[in-house]
Amino acid sequence: MKNVTDSFVSLGHWRSAGSFGFNTDIFATNPINLSVVIGVLIFFGKGVFSDLLDNRKLRIVNTIRNSEELCGRAVEQLEKARARLRKVEMEADQFRMNGYSEIERDKLNLINSIYKTLEQLENYKNETIHFEQQRVINQVRLRVFQQALQGALGTLNSCLSNELHLRTINANIGMFGAMKEITD
Amino acid sequence: MNLLSCSINTLRGLYDISGVEVGQHFYWQIGGFQVHGQVLITSWVVIAILLSSAAIAVRNPQTIPTDGQNFFEYVLEFIRDVSKTQIGEEYRPWVPFIGTMFLFIFVSNWSGALLPWKIIQLPHGELAAPTNDINTTVALALLTSVAYFYAGLTKKGLGYFSKYIQPTPILLPINILEDFTKPLSLSFRLFGNILADELVVVVLVSLVPLVVPIPVMFLGLFTSGIQALIFATLAAAYIGESMEGHH
């Protein structure tokens, strides 16, 4: 009977478990169902997830490969472009050199032709000066001559008298008579 | 005598079933506050799981990710997608917040559904998912509220409050009410779903210990994941809503 009352008394404290501990009741803690659930999850989830992750990995690898390819192609193109740049630069240098020499030659030609023109001009100038001088000299000469003639005329006009005139005429007549004798 | 002890055993069984109680907590006293110790313990376990798995995953980062890193990058991409679709262009600063919400809730829910917590006995109450407790979900929901207020205020300054009278000023009370109903609905939805899941499993286990609870447990797993996704999506949606320009 005491057992029974003990049992009833213990009923009152059934739920008030005192402290930390492990519950070993296999039905209350439900490990069987949990393990089934976890097992199923792992069984199915593994396939799905590994597929998903493999796809993702593949995609990443593809992306990386693609970008590496692109990078390689870009580097190649860069190299090509650099080579072309070098070639073009060399050509440009050559052209520049050619141009320089041509310009130099043109310059020399030009200088020469200008020298020639200059010389011709110099000659013209000299000739002109010469002519001018001669003209001036002629003029001066003419003037002097005229003045001399005028002087002579003046002198003649002032000094000419009848006697002198007659003498001169006589002298001339005598001269012409002498000349006629000579010619005869 | 025999009969009596037999009837006592029956009584004991009946008492056992009637002793199933909801809302028993393992109280801790921290600085004048009563905290639910079982929630803290399971939260720490969840945090430890998250931190250690993340630490293991990023321990040796590779250009081409291997298993663990690959998985976590996938998770990150998923979270980023969620926040991008909900928040929009400026989603980047909010990815950590949304990710924390999602991962914590998700791992909490699944730990409650998958880990055999009941093996460890507490002086009071029992260990379960942290989101099984209303305090956790309210804390998460309030964090979301703070987050979307912060987002709106930093984005638009005081002009953020102009959205309260946005379609017409008549809706002002409803718009103000919304700020209270948002965290309320967030927290209650999560709490109710998780508590219901676990209760259904517990009740079914106490009635039929084997096989029958298994479909319900799967349903619980599904619901838990969905709830975590919903919480994260809604948090992101609220943040995006408070950041989007009305003008």
Side-chain angles (χ1 to χ4, degrees):
Chain A
M1 200 60 210
K2 191 172 182 294
N3 254 343
V4 178
T5 45
D6 275 353
S7 301
F8 272 111
V9 168
S10 71
L11 274 181
H13 304 288
W14 185 255
R15 265 277 145 184
S16 57
S19 61
F20 289 97
F22 287 101
N23 192 347
T24 47
D25 186 351
I26 203 149
F27 289 128
T29 55
N30 200 16
I32 300 166
N33 293 333
L34 277 178
S35 54
V36 170
V37 168
I38 292 174
V40 171
L41 263 189
I42 289 175
F43 182 73
F44 285 108
K46 206 177 180 183
V48 173
F49 253 111
S50 63
D51 265 12
L52 208 69
L53 295 184
D54 281 349
N55 279 343
R56 186 172 182 277
K57 196 170 165 182
L58 214 66
R59 213 172 55 231
I60 290 172
V61 169
N62 277 341
T63 314
I64 289 176
R65 196 176 299 146
N66 276 350
S67 17
E68 265 171 9
E69 234 168 70
L70 282 179
C71 176
R73 221 175 292 157
V75 165
E76 219 171 85
Q77 278 182 352
L78 181 70
E79 279 305 312
K80 239 184 261 175
R82 276 217 185 113
R84 259 185 60 190
L85 178 69
R86 258 199 299 277
K87 223 172 81 182
V88 169
E89 260 178 2
M90 266 161 58
E91 277 177 18
D93 271 347
Q94 223 163 9
F95 275 126
R96 207 178 297 143
M97 298 294 271
N98 285 351
Y100 275 144
S101 56
E102 215 162 298
I103 287 170
E104 206 63 33
R105 216 170 34 234
D106 279 355
K107 198 170 83 179
L108 282 181
N109 285 348
L110 204 66
I111 287 172
N112 283 344
S113 66
I114 285 174
Y115 263 127
K116 266 178 210 158
T117 322
L118 210 62
E119 251 168 74
Q120 265 176 354
L121 285 178
E122 195 79 15
N123 284 348
Y124 286 146
K125 190 185 78 182
N126 287 344
E127 273 172 38
T128 317
I129 288 172
H130 193 65
F131 282 136
E132 207 63 23
Q133 262 177 353
Q134 244 159 23
R135 205 165 55 89
V136 169
I137 288 170
N138 281 344
Q139 267 179 356
V140 169
R141 208 180 276 160
L142 208 63
R143 178 81 54 82
V144 169
F145 188 63
Q146 271 174 348
Q147 272 176 356
L149 278 180
Q150 263 169 3
L153 203 62
T155 332
L156 276 179
N157 279 343
S158 59
C159 299
L160 208 59
S161 60
N162 273 349
E163 193 199 357
L164 189 60
H165 203 154
L166 283 174
R167 217 183 335 170
T168 309
I169 290 173
N170 285 338
N172 280 347
I173 288 171
M175 207 166 65
F176 281 134
M179 277 171 75
K180 196 183 168 200
E181 277 175 14
I182 291 169
T183 49
D184 284 344
Chain B
M1 190 69 190
N2 233 348
L3 193 79
L4 203 59
S5 61
C6 189
S7 70
I8 286 168
N9 273 342
T10 327
L11 269 178
R12 188 175 284 182
L14 278 177
Y15 193 85
D16 196 5
I17 287 177
S18 71
V20 171
E21 260 184 87
V22 181
Q24 273 207 335
H25 295 300
F26 172 43
Y27 287 110
W28 281 349
Q29 204 79 28
I30 297 179
F33 289 106
Q34 274 198 325
V35 297
H36 296 171
Q38 87 273 16
V39 176
L40 288 188
I41 293 170
T42 46
S43 301
W44 290 338
V45 172
V46 167
I47 291 167
I49 291 171
L50 279 173
L51 284 184
S52 55
S53 51
I56 289 171
V58 300
R59 192 184 40 189
N60 183 21
Q62 309 274 321
T63 315
I64 298 164
T66 47
D67 308 326
Q69 193 194 346
N70 197 2
F71 173 68
F72 272 85
E73 281 181 8
Y74 179 74
V75 171
L76 178 65
E77 257 176 24
F78 174 74
I79 292 165
R80 214 160 42 187
D81 274 358
V82 167
S83 30
K84 197 174 184 176
T85 47
Q86 297 300 327
I87 297 179
E89 282 302 302
E90 295 168 50
Y91 73 98
R92 184 64 193 82
W94 293 101
V95 170
F97 179 73
I98 307 297
T100 308
M101 285 288 168
F102 176 74
L103 286 179
F104 180 71
I105 293 169
F106 186 80
V107 176
S108 295
N109 294 350
W110 275 44
S111 78
L114 287 180
L115 294 182
W117 287 118
K118 296 197 179 62
I119 284 180
I120 299 164
Q121 222 172 18
L122 297 181
H124 261 287
E126 52 190 12
L127 293 173
T131 40
N132 196 359
D133 191 273
I134 186 90
N135 296 303
T136 316
T137 60
V138 165
L140 294 174
L142 285 180
L143 277 180
T144 306
S145 285
V146 171
Y148 79 71
F149 265 104
Y150 174 77
L153 287 175
T154 47
K155 178 85 186 295
K156 297 194 243 168
L158 285 178
Y160 167 70
F161 292 107
S162 71
K163 79 155 194 177
Y164 283 90
I165 50 166
Q166 218 13 262
T168 138
I170 300 168
L171 291 182
L172 176 67
I174 292 176
N175 281 333
I176 292 174
L177 204 61
E178 227 173 33
D179 278 334
F180 294 96
T181 55
K182 272 173 184 170
L184 209 65
S185 66
L186 273 182
S187 56
F188 276 27
R189 180 185 305 118
L190 183 58
F191 165 68
N193 271 288
I194 304 309
L195 185 68
D197 279 340
E198 300 205 340
L199 272 186
V200 168
V201 172
V202 164
V203 168
L204 274 185
V205 163
S206 69
L207 292 178
V208 193
L210 288 181
V211 181
V212 175
I214 288 176
V216 180
M217 288 166 86
F218 274 112
L219 187 68
L221 280 182
F222 178 68
T223 326
S224 308
I226 292 292
Q227 285 308 316
L229 182 61
I230 285 178
F231 197 105
T233 310
L234 279 179
Y238 292 155
I239 291 169
E241 190 188 342
S242 67
M243 284 208 302
E244 81 181 340
H246 278 292
H247 355 264

